[in-house]
Amino acid sequence: MENIPAFKKLLETPQNVVITVHQRPDGDALGTGLGLSALLKKLGHQVQVIAPTAYPAFLDWMPGSPEVIICAQGQQERSFELLNKADIIFCVDFPTLNRLNEMEPVVRGAAATKVVIDHHPTSETFGDLIFRDVKAASTTELLYEIIVALGYQDLVDKDIAECLYAGLMTDTGSFKHTNTTAKSH
């Protein structure tokens, strides 16, 4: 967690933030994006979550899901405009920018500070601040560790906790996969 001081400084001043998740987002991607969004809003940031493609309907219950912009559903122009105006772009739960489909070149070329939060191994390095832990059972597990390292754990409310838990549940197969550890619990 060597980037925590720089990350905390980045978050000190309210900014325009876009959180991107991978194509066909699962519970971990959406849970990380929505949990992070709720946290950043509490810190005074303007936040928008953008997904390249739709997520499964069974995730519609997640707090904040109605506000997610789906780029591929006629929202390209709006998505690209938000990405180009962003001060910070978060790339959560994906190891390579090609997982963003048509959003890839826009994110790659954006002037925003890029923050990567992910638990997948990769050979592609992108981002100004990178939080990657391939031993984490889910990206939501890693996000919670970051929240604690920042000293923001008191900001975790029911909505944020539900988003983080959804990601942990889906990526561990309800705690049945071998990636489940004591830390996951």
Side-chain angles (χ1 to χ4, degrees):
M1 295 285 177
E2 64 192 53
N3 292 326
I4 290 297
F7 190 35
K8 191 160 191 167
K9 184 167 178 50
L10 181 67
L11 298 178
E12 285 177 354
T13 306
Q15 301 188 59
N16 289 320
V17 176
V18 172
I19 300 171
T20 61
V21 298
H22 59 74
Q23 63 191 351
R24 295 183 307 278
D26 58 5
D28 192 26
L30 200 59
T32 303
L34 293 173
L36 178 60
S37 173
L39 178 79
L40 294 175
K41 286 177 182 177
K42 286 185 172 194
L43 295 172
H45 298 279
Q46 294 294 116
V47 186
Q48 183 61 62
V49 178
I50 303 175
T53 59
Y55 54 87
F58 71 83
L59 296 174
D60 283 343
W61 66 268
M62 295 180 77
S65 65
E67 289 85 41
V68 175
I69 294 174
I70 309 298
C71 183
Q73 292 181 343
Q75 295 293 318
Q76 293 89 347
E77 188 175 324
R78 183 173 177 214
S79 298
F80 296 171
E81 181 181 335
L82 288 166
L83 287 163
N84 283 319
K85 289 182 178 180
D87 300 308
I88 305 170
I89 297 174
F90 283 89
C91 299
V92 300
D93 196 44
F94 58 90
T96 58
L97 283 173
N98 67 356
R99 298 289 312 273
L100 291 175
N101 291 356
E102 64 189 310
M103 292 168 39
E104 175 187 358
V106 180
V107 171
R108 195 177 292 280
T113 300
K114 294 170 192 82
V115 180
V116 176
I117 303 174
D118 186 33
H119 73 127
H120 299 96
T122 186
S123 59
E124 181 180 355
T125 302
F126 65 94
D128 301 296
L129 290 174
I130 300 170
F131 298 93
R132 184 178 313 283
D133 183 356
V134 297
K135 293 179 183 173
S138 68
T139 302
T140 58
E141 181 179 285
L142 176 57
L143 176 58
Y144 183 73
E145 288 178 28
I146 294 167
I147 290 168
V148 170
L150 289 167
Y152 295 152
Q153 62 270 22
D154 290 345
L155 297 177
V156 177
D157 60 15
K158 179 180 177 285
D159 288 349
I160 295 170
E162 285 179 349
C163 290
L164 299 181
Y165 191 71
L168 189 57
M169 285 291 292
T170 56
D171 264 26
T172 63
S174 299
F175 303 106
K176 292 181 230 163
H177 296 332
T178 57
N179 64 344
T180 306
T181 65
K183 187 166 60 169
S184 305
H185 290 286

